Amino acid sequence: MKQQRPTSLDIAALAGVSQTTVSRALAQSPLVSEDAKRRVLEAAKALRYKVDVNARKLRSKKIHTLAVLISEDLDNSENPINPFFLPLIGSILKYAGQQGYDVLISLQQKSDEWGTDYGFSRRADGIIFLGCKDFQVYTHLFEYLNEVGDPWVVWGVNRLDCARLVIGSDNEAGGYLATRHLLDLGRRRIAFIGKYQAEHPEFRDRYRGYCRALTEAGIAVDDALRVDAFLAREEGVAGVDRLLDNNIPFDAVFCATDLLAMGAMQELHKRGLHVPNDVSVVGFDDLWVCSSLSPALTTIRQDTEAAARALIDGLSSLIEDEPVVDTQMAPKLVIRESCGGLPNLMAAQ
């Protein structure tokens, strides 16, 4: 008789755990204790268990539903979602409906499994991941999705080694546009407020664009003008305070997000400095509130409608086993009042 392939039930019996624990342990879920993971992996090895991708594909049936999983990025529990994602989610829902898809949306914390159960339970045909923290934290989960054959696409980062498809804006080009615009206005002491480390690739690339524009203009990059900050408006406030309290002269600020720029403008006003006469400010994202600020905020726009189309079309191609390529969308400089005038050479593209 032909020997049957071992199943997750066999592993559960041998390891002395539930079948759910087996699935989570094989996905390296942080919800499973190290002892349970060890027992599951030892049982799987003893049984010579391997995921049967072909069998899974045979029993898989399309249900015309996509999952959108959003990382909880902000520390403020009252604002758990990066506000840039709100119009992007709206655009995803609209375009998905036009393409005949229903959409499941879930807010994911770091401790969550980030989609490892969506494919096996057939809750969705594919997954869109939205998040701007360190995606390397989730690499083992992404690799697991690849192992079982689940289609998925990630927004934002330029590249993940394990990613099947990445869609995002050209963040370096955006940082370059913002900084070049300030240089065209005659600003020379341009501060950068935001993340610039490798584990934050979107912001790091915005910082690289800032550095490239300065270098092309013959201006040395001054680390004293670089302020480490993440997303929150309060960090923009703190960033301006650090510059002023340390008596570091600056005549412009490029912020890696609009939230940071809002905080920066708020604190500049509080400290008696006029925007844009004393200090020009540029943000990044073009949140809806930017045009309602006083002064209205100059910023770098990410096209959420184009992003939604690229994410869903790309994921649809993966679901149908069609070839896909990573996409970087060109950002656009949106000039408003916070800079103090138009440059001699328009940098809108």
Side-chain angles (χ1 to χ4, degrees):
M1 293 181 62
K2 184 177 179 181
Q3 186 176 2
Q4 289 186 335
R5 293 174 58 89
T7 68
S8 58
L9 285 173
D10 298 321
I11 297 175
L14 183 58
V17 299
S18 68
Q19 186 180 20
T20 298
T21 298
V22 170
S23 297
R24 290 176 173 174
L26 292 176
Q28 294 296 310
S29 169
L31 299 178
V32 180
S33 69
E34 291 302 318
D35 179 65
K37 287 181 184 178
R38 177 186 57 77
R39 286 187 283 128
V40 167
L41 293 175
E42 288 177 354
K45 183 177 180 180
L47 294 170
R48 297 182 179 178
Y49 173 83
K50 292 183 178 180
V51 175
D52 191 344
V53 176
N54 291 327
R56 181 178 179 274
K57 287 182 177 179
L58 286 174
R59 66 174 179 266
S60 170
K61 293 183 179 180
K62 297 182 180 65
I63 57 175
H64 304 290
T65 299
L66 305 179
V68 177
L69 306 188
I70 310 154
S71 70
E72 187 176 37
D73 285 315
L74 297 180
D75 294 330
N76 186 345
S77 60
E78 296 181 358
N79 297 287
I81 300 177
N82 178 351
F84 167 72
F85 290 144
L86 299 179
L88 178 56
I89 292 168
S91 296
I92 288 173
L93 292 172
K94 180 178 179 180
Y95 187 67
Q98 293 172 353
Q99 300 304 306
Y101 285 110
D102 291 324
V103 179
L104 300 174
I105 299 177
S106 177
L107 181 64
Q108 303 287 302
Q109 297 179 341
K110 185 176 178 181
S111 60
D112 291 337
E113 294 189 57
W114 270 69
T116 55
D117 288 336
Y118 275 81
F120 275 124
S121 61
R122 302 315 307 146
R123 295 168 63 191
D125 295 319
I127 304 171
I128 297 172
F129 290 101
L130 306 179
C132 53
K133 279 193 174 179
D134 182 3
F135 268 112
Q136 300 304 323
V137 171
Y138 308 105
T139 296
H140 66 283
L141 299 180
F142 292 147
E143 290 174 343
Y144 179 74
L145 293 175
N146 289 343
E147 181 181 355
V148 300
D150 274 344
W152 61 280
V153 58
V154 62
W155 162 266
V157 294
N158 282 353
R159 186 65 241 170
L160 284 173
D161 290 340
C162 63
R164 300 181 67 185
L165 180 62
V166 172
I167 306 294
S169 291
D170 189 336
N171 288 290
E172 183 173 346
Y176 177 84
L177 283 177
T179 309
R180 191 180 75 182
H181 177 64
L182 292 168
L183 291 166
D184 288 341
L185 292 172
R187 305 301 186 177
R188 290 297 178 266
R189 296 283 298 173
I190 303 172
F192 174 86
I193 299 180
K195 287 292 180 184
Y196 51 87
Q197 299 89 344
E199 58 266 28
H200 300 280
E202 291 177 88
F203 301 145
R204 175 203 59 197
D205 287 347
R206 295 172 195 181
Y207 176 69
R208 284 178 173 174
Y210 159 87
C211 294
R212 178 161 64 92
L214 290 176
T215 301
E216 286 185 6
I219 299 174
V221 176
D222 185 350
D223 288 346
L225 290 170
R226 184 181 67 191
V227 180
D228 187 11
F230 193 47
L231 274 177
R233 178 187 56 81
E234 292 78 8
E235 295 204 35
V237 171
V240 167
D241 280 338
R242 270 172 256 165
L243 292 168
L244 294 176
D245 292 345
N246 290 320
N247 296 315
I248 298 172
F250 61 100
D251 56 14
V253 179
F254 167 45
C255 295
T257 70
D258 287 339
L259 284 179
L260 288 170
M262 292 175 198
M265 288 202 301
Q266 174 187 337
E267 191 62 10
L268 287 166
H269 176 73
K270 183 178 178 181
R271 299 286 292 261
L273 294 171
H274 186 274
V275 176
N277 292 349
D278 298 318
V279 180
S280 294
V281 179
V282 177
F284 202 111
D285 284 336
D286 196 25
L287 302 179
W288 67 268
V289 73
C290 291
S291 59
S292 300
L293 298 173
S294 182
L297 180 62
T298 295
T299 186
I300 300 297
R301 175 178 295 166
Q302 301 189 79
D303 189 335
T304 58
E305 292 187 2
R309 291 193 297 271
L311 287 165
I312 292 172
D313 288 345
L315 185 55
S316 296
S317 295
L318 288 174
I319 292 170
E320 300 298 332
D321 291 322
E322 297 173 351
V324 294
V325 293
D326 292 348
T327 300
Q328 275 195 319
M329 291 175 292
K332 180 179 180 180
L333 175 65
V334 180
I335 302 171
R336 298 192 178 100
E337 300 166 358
S338 65
C339 283
L342 299 180
N344 293 328
L345 295 175
M346 189 66 165
Q349 299 293 336

